[in-house]
């Protein structure tokens, strides 16, 4: 899909169409890391579920304290994001030999749709030198800084640093 301008018949506004690679923020895939166009580096992990329905309030507080402790060494402006995907899939039991009642239960549920879930945790590390905007800086100074600064400068060292921080 190429970039085009089409007039809108109702109000005369111009609607712009862009190609998909211009809209996606991903610049490159390096090993198991994503390099985004603005210089950020993202790493993803598959999460294994736990039976949290049986937990007490103290157990939840303990998990929150552990998670907060794991986030402390991450640099400022690091984004932590959890994505959950839900999908239907027909039930397929293991084909190994089973007990009589388990085999009957498997035959009953065979090919019925079951709801499955996959969870992922993404860590997105900030790109290069992040500068906070203040009211004293003008719009032109911010634009010139963005145009002149290469967001992918020093990407190799930042990728190694992101991998070591994520490993902790």
């Amino acid at each position: 899909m190429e970039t085009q301008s089409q007039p809108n018949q109702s109000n005369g506004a111009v609607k712009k169409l862009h190609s998909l690679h211009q809209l996606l923020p991903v610049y490159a895939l390096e090993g198991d890391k994503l390099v985004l166009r603005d210089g950020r580096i993202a790493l993803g992990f598959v999460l294994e579920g736990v039976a949290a329905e049986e937990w007490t309030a103290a157990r939840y507080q303990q998990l929150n304290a552990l998670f907060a402790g794991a986030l402390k060494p991450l640099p400022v402006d690091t984004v932590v994001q959890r994505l959950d995907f839900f999908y239907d899939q027909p039930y397929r039991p293991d084909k190994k030999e089973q007990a009589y009642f388990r085999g009957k239960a498997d035959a009953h549920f065979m090919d019925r749709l079951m709801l499955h879930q996959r969870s992922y945790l993404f860590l997105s590390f900030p790109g290069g030198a992040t500068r906070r905007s203040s009211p004293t800086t003008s719009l032109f100074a911010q634009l010139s800084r963005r145009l002149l600064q290469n967001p992918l400068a020093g990407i190799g060292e930042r990728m190694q640093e992101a991998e070591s921080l994520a490993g902790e």
Side-chain angles (χ1 to χ4, degrees):
M1 175 169 50
E2 293 296 319
T3 304
Q4 300 173 357
S5 296
Q6 297 176 348
N8 190 346
Q9 283 77 18
S10 62
N11 60 5
V14 176
K15 182 173 39 172
K16 293 184 179 181
L17 301 176
H18 299 281
S19 61
L20 185 60
H21 73 85
Q22 291 174 325
L23 298 175
L24 291 178
V26 177
Y27 177 73
L29 178 64
E30 296 288 330
D32 57 350
K33 295 172 277 307
L34 286 175
V35 178
L36 304 176
R37 290 187 190 278
D38 61 355
R40 291 179 295 143
I41 299 168
L43 286 95
F45 302 93
V46 176
L47 294 179
E48 296 293 327
V50 295
E53 295 86 16
E54 303 168 357
W55 285 9
T56 62
R59 183 73 191 253
Y60 275 114
Q61 290 172 352
Q62 180 185 14
L63 178 69
N64 284 337
L66 286 172
F67 189 64
L71 296 180
K72 281 194 185 261
L74 297 178
V76 176
D77 291 338
T78 299
V79 176
V80 179
Q81 183 179 22
R82 178 182 169 168
L83 297 174
D84 291 307
F85 295 98
F86 295 91
Y87 59 95
D88 291 331
Q89 193 174 26
Y91 176 73
R92 305 278 181 191
D94 295 333
K95 295 295 179 188
K96 57 186 173 187
E97 224 172 282
Q98 300 172 345
Y100 176 76
F101 290 112
R102 183 68 194 160
K104 290 295 183 181
D106 286 345
H108 174 74
F109 290 110
M110 180 66 81
D111 290 329
R112 292 187 184 192
L113 288 180
M114 291 183 59
L115 183 64
H116 294 273
Q117 176 202 15
R118 294 290 302 221
S119 295
Y120 300 93
L121 182 74
F122 287 95
L123 298 175
S124 178
F125 295 95
T130 58
R131 294 184 182 149
R132 298 272 185 210
S133 62
S134 68
T136 59
T137 59
S138 69
L139 176 65
F140 296 112
Q142 290 179 14
L143 287 175
S144 65
R145 192 176 333 141
R146 287 184 185 155
L147 290 175
L148 298 176
Q149 185 180 15
N150 181 6
L152 301 178
I155 195 77
E157 298 91 34
R158 288 191 295 121
M159 284 175 53
Q160 290 175 353
E161 181 184 351
E163 192 168 354
S164 67
L165 285 171
E168 291 179 15

